Amino acid sequence: MLIKAIDEFNSEGHLIYAENYIGAFARGRTQREALNKFASEVQQYTRWLRKAVPSAEEC
């Protein structure tokens, strides 16, 4: 899976979010801290996404 990550940062830290997984993001005081959280956040988002999309039987 290719994840297009964007890193926004200022003097207070980094916000890394996925361009192609809109609900996945991580924050940290440093880029490394945010990146260390990022993979887990993408996994959590994809698990949530599968639950949030109704099945054909539910529509």
Side-chain angles (χ1 to χ4, degrees), residues 2-53:
L2 177 65
I3 299 170
K4 296 179 181 180
I6 293 104
D7 180 12
E8 292 186 9
F9 60 94
N10 60 27
S11 61
E12 295 183 26
H14 289 257
L15 167 65
I16 298 177
Y17 60 94
E19 178 182 310
N20 51 338
Y21 291 88
I22 297 171
F25 63 91
R27 294 185 179 163
R29 290 182 185 259
T30 65
Q31 184 183 52
R32 177 61 41 208
E33 182 181 337
L35 283 171
N36 285 341
K37 299 175 184 178
F38 190 62
S40 173
E41 294 298 324
V42 171
Q43 290 172 348
Q44 288 179 38
Y45 173 70
T46 57
R47 279 195 301 270
W48 171 84
L49 189 59
R50 284 191 291 267
K51 292 177 185 176
V53 177

